[in-house]
Amino acid sequence: MRVRFAPSPTGFLHIGGLRTALYNYLLARKHGGVFILRIEDTDRSRFVPEAEQDILDCLAWAGLEFDQGPEKEGDCGPYHQSKRSTLYEAAADTLVESGNAYIAFDTAEEIEVMRERHRTQDNPSPRYDLITRSEMSNSLTLSAQEVERRVGSGEPHVVRLLVQPGKSVQFDDFVRGTVTFESDTVDDQILVKSDGLPTYHLANIVDDHEMGITHVIRGEEWLPSTPKHILLYEALGWTAPRMAHLPLILSPTGGKLSKRNAEKQGIPVTVRQYRDAGYEPQAVVNFLAMLGWNPGDERELFSLEELVEAFSLERVGQAGVQFDLQKLSWYNQNYLRGRSSADIAGQMHPRITEQFGECSLESVVAAIDLMKERMVYAHDILEAAFLFERPLAYDEKSVKKKWKEDSGDLLKSFTRVLESTQHWTSDGLESALQSAIAELDIGVGQLMFPVRLALSGQPSGPGLYDMMVYFGRAETLFRLNDAAQRLP
Ligand code: GLU
């Protein structure tokens, strides 16, 4: 099995592109195959210089290592289409010589005039095909000398595929089963553009053939191109790879998850946005794996290795799949919990010191221990400012509602109990609080609430006793006294 991920460097890697790369990767690993990264950079008008680095960074971030590709030479390089022109030229020449393609000189205006002439209600966008090609300037209608003269004088021209009418084009798709297209619905596709560069269709099939690709796995949006590819393979006398077209990714409100409607709903579209927003790569990978594939049972959490084991094209569905950002958060929370506090602390320590000033790595580990169950993203810890600095203010609504006239005095009485508490542990502190409320003859909430507010400034948060252990005796006493003084 040899598979490839073949992105065009026209922008930052799309989240759907990462899913395509993932499915290719999983199959290659599962079957001990080869996973190739090929950069399809023949469309110079849409070329974005930073895009290739972004593709490499995002694949590395997701942990999808390719076997061959840019800077990883293998048996079928180079891996940029821009460096493979001679192969495309040779294929185009073969196609013209064998009568499967022809040279056409028509300008864009001439093609538009032809379309105008043939346009009817039933045929709003006439093709360049059997019917129309006989009216145009091409090597089928012009004499050989005339064609030679025009080419020789540098007249712009393209190479088109000669599509024979009345043919049924068939291929088996792993996801869709047998797919049939009538050749009458396929136009004489341009294979080489007037700038001499191949179009996607020609370059794609030449490379898939030359690179020995056995399985083409790509998004459903490429399905309409496949009949052209099949015709090209036939014309060149090559065997087509097997095909799998992955289901469309749909927006939560229906319709394709286009850049525009994703942005409207606050759904990031590029992989780097997910990375920069602090998503765990394993969460994104696991989430994308389930976006079109299912394991056939109830399992939802899979490491990359487990995915390799479980994945198969047979379980990829045909129906479009809805993108659910909440599900991704759920995955993120799961993977975050799976990381050690020390690991998360190591990641967040620089940002914490930047935001709140110097603090030890150990204290950040302890803070993460305290907060982990409540965190969805690693950076959620930055929102728990009270762990790293004293509360600047106390939540106004809670003060209004629950801070009573005697709250300050109760806090002060509690500090006296705490001064002599022997075991500064969660259990020890719980008994200290219990004995204080018994002594003061008050309800639990009357003391617990002001303590929480004094420590964190917030009405809710981590366990109260764990929080006191985290702060230690001196800081706890300071915050309780401080609140008693500052609040009315
Ligand atoms: N270059 C195409 C893309 O940008 C590749 C499609 C294919 O896999 O054939 O997605």
Side-chain angles (χ1 to χ4, degrees):
M1 176 174 287
R2 288 170 71 92
V3 294
R4 75 336 185 245
F5 176 50
S8 303
T10 53
F12 295 137
L13 183 60
H14 192 278
I15 191 77
L18 187 62
R19 182 191 62 169
T20 301
L22 172 65
Y23 285 20
N24 276 284
Y25 170 90
L26 294 175
L27 276 180
R29 292 295 167 269
K30 177 166 182 141
H31 297 281
V34 178
F35 175 44
I36 296 170
L37 174 64
R38 180 171 79 222
I39 304 294
E40 300 208 325
D41 56 352
T42 57
D43 188 350
R44 301 318 278 181
S45 63
R46 295 176 61 214
F47 181 75
V48 173
E50 327 64 288
E52 180 176 335
Q53 193 54 48
D54 179 70
I55 292 164
L56 294 173
D57 293 347
C58 291
L59 290 179
W61 175 74
L64 308 184
E65 200 185 330
F66 51 87
D67 303 308
Q68 299 181 22
E71 287 163 39
K72 207 160 185 192
E73 285 305 307
D75 60 7
C76 59
Y79 298 89
H80 290 88
Q81 288 191 325
S82 55
K83 297 182 185 146
R84 301 172 63 85
S85 315
T86 46
L87 290 170
Y88 314 133
E89 281 158 21
D93 288 349
T94 308
L95 287 166
V96 172
E97 275 157 30
S98 63
N100 286 296
Y102 58 93
I103 294 169
F105 298 97
D106 319 281
T107 61
E109 292 75 36
E110 285 162 344
I111 292 175
E112 194 37 48
V113 169
M114 174 276 278
R115 291 222 163 98
E116 277 298 318
R117 200 163 51 233
H118 288 271
R119 190 166 288 144
T120 61
Q121 234 171 10
D122 295 341
N123 187 13
S125 169
R127 284 182 292 272
Y128 198 116
D129 61 7
L130 170 76
I131 315 278
T132 54
R133 73 170 79 106
S134 63
E135 303 167 4
M136 308 301 285
S137 310
N138 53 50
S139 58
L140 304 172
T141 58
L142 301 170
S143 70
Q145 291 98 314
E146 176 65 4
V147 172
E148 211 170 299
R149 187 192 65 74
R150 289 195 186 197
V151 171
S153 72
E155 190 172 320
H157 59 278
V158 300
V159 176
R160 284 182 182 268
L161 174 67
L162 183 85
V163 178
Q164 303 290 359
K167 266 178 76 170
S168 257
V169 186
Q170 244 185 25
F171 60 93
D172 282 323
D173 189 281
F174 272 102
V175 178
R176 263 140 241 287
T178 305
V179 180
T180 310
F181 278 90
E182 298 310 320
S183 68
D184 298 21
T185 64
V186 181
D187 68 349
D188 287 356
Q189 180 64 53
I190 295 181
L191 303 176
V192 181
K193 295 173 284 184
S194 56
D195 61 6
L197 291 173
T199 54
Y200 153 72
H201 305 282
L202 179 65
N204 188 267
I205 67 110
V206 167
D207 286 343
D208 281 346
H209 174 73
E210 293 291 336
M211 294 182 168
I213 299 302
T214 57
H215 295 68
V216 166
I217 301 152
R218 61 185 169 200
E220 186 181 305
E221 62 273 26
W222 300 102
L223 191 61
S225 298
T226 310
K228 298 172 188 172
H229 299 176
I230 302 288
L231 289 173
L232 276 169
Y233 283 112
E234 277 176 13
L236 286 160
W238 296 341
T239 310
R242 306 192 62 186
M243 302 281 169
H245 287 90
L246 308 177
L248 284 180
I249 300 181
L250 304 177
S251 122
T253 53
K256 212 186 147 192
L257 184 70
S258 67
K259 204 173 155 195
R260 186 160 347 132
N261 74 26
E263 270 162 12
K264 246 200 244 156
Q265 296 174 69
I267 300 175
V269 281
T270 65
V271 178
R272 66 152 61 197
Q273 284 172 301
Y274 287 89
R275 185 192 60 197
D276 296 347
Y279 282 91
E280 301 290 316
Q282 295 94 326
V284 172
V285 163
N286 195 157
F287 168 77
L288 287 178
M290 309 296 273
L291 208 61
W293 168 83
N294 71 80
D297 53 38
E298 298 298 302
R299 285 177 300 164
E300 292 193 280
L301 292 169
F302 290 86
S303 67
L304 195 55
E305 294 71 40
E306 288 164 340
L307 283 172
V308 167
E309 182 82 13
F311 189 80
S312 75
L313 282 177
E314 283 71 30
R315 302 211 63 89
V316 174
Q318 283 188 31
V321 280
Q322 255 172 9
F323 194 94
D324 180 356
L325 208 51
Q326 281 192 333
K327 192 73 198 179
L328 177 55
S329 304
W330 178 84
Y331 274 111
N332 212 72
Q333 187 166 31
N334 269 287
Y335 280 96
L336 189 70
R337 283 183 190 163
R339 287 175 64 187
S340 71
S341 298
D343 186 29
I344 303 171
Q347 178 194 340
M348 295 310 299
H349 188 229
R351 282 179 70 183
I352 288 171
T353 52
E354 186 185 297
Q355 195 160 322
F356 303 108
E358 274 315 311
C359 66
S360 71
L361 182 60
E362 292 82 65
S363 67
V364 178
V365 176
I368 305 271
D369 269 337
L370 200 60
M371 293 299 292
K372 202 151 98 183
E373 285 300 306
R374 307 172 162 265
M375 288 162 56
V376 176
Y377 308 99
H379 58 68
D380 283 349
I381 193 66
L382 297 173
E383 268 146 55
F386 65 90
L387 295 176
F388 310 107
E389 63 187 14
R390 292 172 173 159
L392 302 172
Y394 302 94
D395 181 61
E396 238 171 83
K397 245 194 178 152
S398 318
V399 173
K400 245 197 208 136
K401 229 169 111 193
K402 292 198 178 161
W403 182 267
K404 302 282 184 260
E405 239 171 84
D406 62 350
S407 296
D409 289 339
L410 294 178
L411 280 187
K412 279 192 193 136
S413 317
F414 186 40
T415 57
R416 284 192 284 278
V417 178
L418 290 179
E419 268 157 17
S420 57
T421 299
Q422 295 225 327
H423 301 288
W424 199 266
T425 60
S426 213
D427 289 346
L429 289 164
E430 185 172 359
S431 352
L433 186 121
Q434 293 299 346
S435 62
I437 59 170
E439 210 174 288
L440 294 163
D441 194 21
I442 55 170
V444 186
Q446 276 174 277
L447 185 54
M448 251 187 158
F449 183 78
V451 172
R452 175 175 293 288
L453 198 65
L455 291 176
S456 69
Q458 312 279 322
S460 62
L464 194 65
Y465 310 117
D466 292 339
M467 213 157 49
M468 289 161 80
V469 173
Y470 167 80
F471 286 127
R473 192 188 312 258
E475 182 64 16
T476 301
L477 292 177
F478 179 90
R479 290 192 185 201
L480 297 189
N481 282 320
D482 196 32
Q485 232 159 52
R486 281 163 62 188
L487 285 169

